[in-house]
Amino acid sequence: MPISEERRRFLEAALCIVLAGCGGGGGSGRSAGDPGPVPDRNIDDAVALLDQLVAALMSSTGVPGMAVAVVRGEKTIYAKGFGVRALGTHSPVDADTVFQLASVSKSIGATVVAREIGRGQVAWDQPLRGLLPWFELADPEATRLVTIGDMYAHRSGLPGHIGDRLEDMGYDQRTVLERLRYVPLDGFRTRYDYTNFGLTAGGIATAAAAGTDWATLSEQAIYGPLGMTRTSSRFADFIDRSNRVTGHRIVDGKWATNTLRMPDAEAPAASVTSSVNDLAKWLSMMLGEGFYAGRRLVDAAALRAAVSPQIETSPAGNGRDAGHYGFGFNVGKTSAGRRDFSHSGAFGMGAATAFRVVPSTGIGLVALTNGYPIGVPEILSAQFFDLLEYGAIQRDYQALIGPFFTALNAPEGSLVGVPPPTSPMPPSQSLSAFAGHYRNDYHGPLNVELAGGSLSLTIGGAPLRLPLAHWDADVFTFTLDNENASPGTISKATFETGKVTLEFYDKEHLGTFVR
C-alpha cells in the first residue's frame, strides 16, 4: 500500500505479531510442541458462530460483500455468501460468487510450482537463468544464482514491492521484469522483502519449463484436477463471469464501487479469481499434503517445503518466536503453539482476502471480500481459530488490527497535510525552460509539456498524463489515485539543472529523470 517501505515493513511485521500466525507460539506460555487435535465441540461451536461473526463484521465495517468457507479434511463444513456483489444492486453473494484473490494467488501459485517439481520439470533450488535467459538482476552473481525458491521466498535482494509502480504506469510484464536489472540489490538470500514481480519471475520461469503460459499451466496443474471450474488466472475470464463481484473502497467516509484491478502483468503473484466453494477444494488438498479425492495431485515433499520456514520475516521478541515465510506462504504457529500456514491478499482498488490452515486441527478457513483492505478477513480468521483452540475469542481483534490497515491505506507524500505556502517563491526560470524530454532507465522516458500556461508530465506505457501545480520555487506537485497511490496522495516534482526528481517514483532513489 502507498506508504514508505520502512513503515510498510514495520506494519506488516507488527500485524503478524498481533495475529500470532507468523510465529507467535511462545507468547502464550504454552508448550513449544504442537498440542494436536482440538475438541469436536470447539469445531462445532466455532462453525455455529460464523454467521454471527460475519454479520457483526459487515455491520461494523460496512464492507458490501463477503464469502466464507471452512473445510475439515476433505469435507466442506461451511460455505456461505453474504451481502451484495456490487453496491446499488440486489445481486447477492453466494458460495459460488467469484472474487479477486490478490496475493492469496501466491500460495495457490506455489502449489502449481510444487506440482511441477513433483513431475521433475523444475526444482525450488533451480536457477532462473536457464529458464529465462533474458532475465537479469543488478548483480551478475545474483543473476547466475537466483532460484525459483529465492523468488517465492522473497529473498532475492530486490526491494519490497519493486516494479508495482511500473505496472501502474501501464508497462507489461516483460518490460517490468527486464527493468529489474536497474534496481540495486540489498540482502541477496539474507533478508525478506515482499516483491510481487520477483515472485512473478519465479512463476513464469516454471511456466517456461512447461512450455506454456502461467494461466494455462495453473489450469492444467491445479484448477482442472481439483474441479475448480470457477477459478482462473486470467482477468478476462473473471470479467466474463456472470456471478462475480466488483471492487469497492471508502470515499469521503462511504463505501463506493471502484474500477477493478487488472493484475495479469503479475499473474503468479496476484491474478487468481475464484469462489469459496472452489477454494474449499484447494484447502482440502493442502490439508491432505497434496492428496485429494483418492489421488495424489501434488508432490508431498515439494509442498512441505513450501509451508516450511525459508526466510525470517519478523524477529523473535517479547516471548514470541520469529516469523517466517515459506515459498508463497506465511508459516508459523498459532498462539496455542500449533503449526499453521496462511496468506492475505489485498487490492487498494477493492479486494481483501485471507486463508489459514492449522493442520493439527484438520481445519482450513478462507474469507473473501469485495472491499479494499481494512482487516475483515484477518479479523474473522483470528476470531474463528481462537474459538477452535480456546473455545472463546481471546482478544478484540478489530481494535488491534484496524489501526494497521488505516496506516497502510494512508495517502503518501511529504506534502500530505501540509498547507501550501502563503507566499510561494516563483520558479527560477520560465515554465518553458522546464519543458522537454527526460530519461530514466528504470521508469522509462518522461515528457514535460507546457500548454495553456501550465506544465504537465507524461510518463509510462499507458501513458499517464499528470498536471503539475506550482508549490514553491522549482517544486511542483501532482496527485495520483491508483492501486499503489491511495486517494489524497501528493508527489513533489523538483526541478534542478538538467533533471527532475519525482518523489512518488523515487523509491530506492530511482526517481530522478535526466534531460
Side-chain angles (χ1 to χ4, degrees), residues 216-468:
T216 300
L217 178 61
S218 299
E219 290 168 351
Q220 295 171 347
I222 298 296
Y223 311 155
L226 281 175
M228 298 171 69
T229 59
R230 300 187 61 75
T231 303
S232 175
S233 290
R234 296 185 190 87
F235 183 74
D237 293 341
F238 172 65
I239 291 299
D240 285 344
R241 307 280 188 202
S242 58
N243 182 4
R244 66 159 175 85
V245 298
T246 191
H248 301 81
R249 67 180 182 187
I250 296 173
V251 179
D252 296 329
K254 295 182 179 180
W255 284 98
T257 55
N258 193 43
T259 304
L260 286 165
R261 168 98 187 274
M262 202 292 279
D264 284 1
E266 54 180 70
S271 69
V272 180
T273 57
S274 188
S275 68
V276 294
N277 270 341
D278 269 13
L279 292 171
K281 300 173 184 177
W282 179 79
L283 288 173
S284 291
M285 186 270 291
M286 292 302 300
L287 282 164
E289 292 191 323
F291 197 81
Y292 180 79
R295 63 188 180 121
R296 176 154 299 284
L297 300 181
V298 180
D299 179 71
L303 208 52
R304 280 195 295 270
V307 296
S308 300
Q310 301 296 333
I311 189 74
E312 184 177 294
T313 58
S314 58
N318 297 321
R320 296 184 181 277
D321 299 336
H324 292 87
Y325 200 83
F327 295 134
F329 293 84
N330 288 308
V331 298
K333 293 179 180 178
T334 70
S335 61
R338 290 181 174 86
R339 183 177 67 88
D340 76 349
F341 52 88
S342 63
H343 215 291
S344 291
F347 286 159
M349 296 175 73
T353 62
F355 80 89
R356 192 175 188 183
V357 174
V358 182
S360 67
T361 67
I363 298 293
L365 174 143
V366 61
L368 312 177
T369 76
N370 60 356
Y372 80 155
I374 56 174
V376 172
E378 292 83 2
I379 292 166
L380 182 71
S381 176
Q383 291 173 332
F384 178 80
F385 281 99
D386 268 5
L387 290 167
L388 228 63
E389 294 189 300
Y390 304 112
I393 296 171
Q394 301 295 293
R395 310 172 77 179
D396 183 349
Y397 289 105
Q398 197 158 353
L400 286 166
I401 293 173
F404 295 112
F405 285 94
T406 297
L408 285 170
N409 290 323
E412 183 178 343
S414 60
L415 296 180
V416 172
V418 177
T422 53
S423 300
M425 293 288 292
S428 62
Q429 306 175 71
S430 65
L431 294 183
S432 61
F434 297 121
H437 302 289
Y438 298 76
R439 65 174 178 81
N440 179 294
D441 289 338
Y442 176 70
H443 286 108
L446 166 71
N447 290 327
V448 179
E449 301 169 342
L450 175 64
S454 298
L455 293 173
S456 65
L457 307 176
T458 302
I459 190 171
L464 296 175
R465 189 174 186 278
L466 304 167
L468 289 176

Side-chain angles (χ1 to χ4, degrees), residues 105 108-124 131-132 148 152 199-226 228 231-234 237 267-268 271-272 282 285 297-298:
S105 304
I108 295 172
T111 65
V112 174
V113 178
R115 185 258 195 177
E116 292 302 286
I117 291 171
R119 297 178 67 239
Q121 299 296 303
V122 293
W124 288 121
L131 301 172
L132 301 179
I148 292 171
Y152 267 84
L199 186 143
T200 292
I204 67 165
T206 304
T212 189
D213 64 276
W214 177 255
T216 300
L217 178 61
S218 299
E219 290 168 351
Q220 295 171 347
I222 298 296
Y223 311 155
L226 281 175
M228 298 171 69
T231 303
S232 175
S233 290
R234 296 185 190 87
D237 293 341
S271 69
V272 180
W282 179 79
M285 186 270 291
L297 300 181
V298 180

Side-chain angles (χ1 to χ4, degrees), residues 128 135 151-152 156 158 162 177 180 195-203:
L128 264 65
F135 180 78
M151 292 306 194
Y152 267 84
S156 67
L158 287 167
I162 198 71
L177 292 176
L180 295 183
T195 309
N196 289 309
F197 278 95
L199 186 143
T200 292

Side-chain angles (χ1 to χ4, degrees), residues 492-510:
K492 292 191 295 186
T494 304
F495 288 88
E496 300 175 78
T497 303
K499 62 183 180 181
V500 58
T501 298
L502 307 184
E503 181 186 27
F504 183 77
Y505 297 111
D506 201 31
K507 291 160 56 69
E508 314 302 329
H509 307 292
L510 293 169

Side-chain angles (χ1 to χ4, degrees), residues 75-154:
K75 184 179 180 182
T76 301
I77 59 175
Y78 182 95
K80 285 188 180 182
F82 304 85
V84 294
R85 304 197 296 261
L87 283 175
T89 74
H90 298 288
S91 303
V93 173
D94 59 35
D96 287 319
T97 299
V98 177
F99 289 74
Q100 292 187 292
L101 303 192
S103 284
V104 166
S105 304
K106 294 176 173 66
S107 301
I108 295 172
T111 65
V112 174
V113 178
R115 185 258 195 177
E116 292 302 286
I117 291 171
R119 297 178 67 239
Q121 299 296 303
V122 293
W124 288 121
D125 61 359
Q126 182 163 348
L128 264 65
R129 192 64 171 167
L131 301 172
L132 301 179
W134 50 266
F135 180 78
E136 296 180 20
L137 296 171
D139 180 348
E141 186 69 359
T143 299
R144 183 178 71 84
L145 295 174
V146 70
T147 65
I148 292 171
D150 291 329
M151 292 306 194
Y152 267 84
H154 304 294

